[in-house]
Every structure is written in structure tokens, then in C-alpha cells.
Amino acid sequence: MVERQSPLEPEFHVGSHGNFEHGVEIILTETRPGSIVQLAAWPGEEKKLIAAIRSVTGLALPDGAGGGLNDGVKSVFGFAPGKFTVADEAEGLADAFAKAVTPAIGTVTDLSHGRTAIRIAGPKAEWVLAKFFAIDFALPAFPVGAGRSTTHHDVFAQIQRTGADQFDLYVFRSFARSFWKALCHASEEVGYEVQ
């Protein structure tokens, strides 16, 4: 695996922070997947792209924007009609999709070098994220596996719920440090731990 320096490094301070005297209610970390790929289907080719996603990842993605799955190693979610984000702990996902997704089906864009993956977990994860995004983060409205794309000021974010109290956020590397600092600040009130 090619080790890339994290854009969070100068602001990534392991340990407990904020108001944690009554416990830590937020866990923040950078997940560092080996591959992050964006896939887009041409109109009418969505089902073929979903089949290609299943053949490469083994994940049977539900049809439609917003649906997704996470198996702990790989994750995939639709963030717009015919558009999907796929992440894998291993490298080489873009090459695998380049073989499975023909130019007649759609496009494959390797974003591994251009995105930072941040995980927020804990009983107050929905509450902290609601400070940033006008999205209903409640479990019935945003089920496990589902994904959304949105912005906070000028920071574009793709968000996938990867557990009952856990979300993975994909942001541009150039905005990652600024967004991380804001996320830490928003978590201070309830106490957070950086791992």
C-alpha cells in the first residue's frame, strides 16, 4: 500500500478532548481506505453498473439513489441517480472497475488521492452532524448503508451511515483539515475522543 501523508496530521491529536468529564459521546478518526472510486452510469445503463458493482465488490446494492451497503471492508452507496461511491480497504479498486465497467456503461473515476475519509461514531453522532448539514440523520430516515451528498458552506461531503451510531464522511483533501477542526469544535460540548 502506498502510504500518503494525511492532510489531518497537524490537527490530528489522539486522546480525549472537550467536555468529557461525564464520558465521551463522540469518537472521531480518519479511516484511510486504500481505494475510493466514483462510478457514474450513462442514462439507461444503471442496472448494468449496479451489476458491475456486485461483480467487483460482492455487495448487492439496492437500486436507486441513496441506497448502500457496508461489510466492514468495502462500502458502496448511491449519492445521486446513477452515481455511486465505492470504498475498499485494499488498493486497486479503480483498476478492477475499469475492467468491469465498459465505456458503453459509464465512467470510473479514482478519487483515492483526492478524498479524505473521516468516521464519526457515538451516541451523539447524529446530533453533531445535524449542526453541519440540513439532513434528517434519524435512523428511519437515514438507514444503515444509505448515503447522501451535501455541502457545509463550501465543503462538499458524501456521507454514508455505516452503523446505528456511525457515519463515514468523504471530503476533498484540500478541505479536510478545515472540516476536521470544525468537526472537533462541534464535538467539544459532548466530549470526543480521537483515535
Side-chain angles (χ1 to χ4, degrees):
M1 179 171 154
V2 176
E3 197 62 36
R4 290 183 289 270
Q5 182 176 359
S6 169
L8 306 180
E9 207 166 275
E11 299 296 331
F12 195 90
H13 306 293
V14 174
S16 298
H17 307 275
N19 183 17
F20 61 88
E21 64 186 46
H22 299 293
V24 170
E25 299 200 69
I26 294 292
I27 305 293
L28 297 174
T29 193
E30 180 183 13
T31 61
R32 293 183 164 221
S35 300
I36 303 171
V37 177
Q38 182 174 303
L39 305 170
W42 301 123
E45 300 298 322
E46 295 85 0
K47 292 198 183 313
K48 289 180 184 174
L49 183 60
I50 290 170
I53 291 169
R54 183 177 188 166
S55 72
V56 170
T57 66
L59 299 175
L61 183 67
D63 194 0
L69 296 167
N70 178 302
D71 69 2
V73 175
K74 297 179 192 97
S75 64
V76 59
F77 61 94
F79 64 90
K83 294 185 179 181
F84 305 90
T85 296
V86 187
D88 190 343
E89 287 186 8
E91 293 182 355
L93 193 59
D95 292 336
F97 275 117
K99 294 173 186 162
V101 179
T102 67
I105 295 172
T107 62
V108 178
T109 307
D110 188 355
L111 301 177
S112 305
H113 64 288
R115 298 290 189 274
T116 297
I118 297 169
R119 177 167 291 156
I120 179 171
K124 292 289 188 178
E126 291 177 8
W127 182 79
V128 170
L129 289 175
K131 291 181 175 185
F132 291 91
F133 307 109
I135 292 176
D136 185 351
F137 286 100
L139 197 52
F142 199 150
V144 174
R148 308 285 185 267
S149 66
T150 187
T151 60
H152 170 68
H153 294 285
D154 290 329
V155 179
F156 174 72
Q158 292 178 317
I159 306 167
Q160 182 180 30
R161 181 176 221 133
T162 53
D165 291 325
Q166 179 175 289
F167 297 86
D168 288 353
L169 295 89
Y170 300 90
V171 298
F172 291 118
R173 283 179 64 86
S174 56
F175 288 109
R177 187 179 310 159
S178 173
F179 184 75
W180 175 263
K181 286 171 69 174
L183 197 56
C184 289
H185 181 68
S187 302
E188 285 178 349
E189 190 176 347
V190 293
Y192 70 97
E193 185 174 325
V194 175
Q195 297 180 342

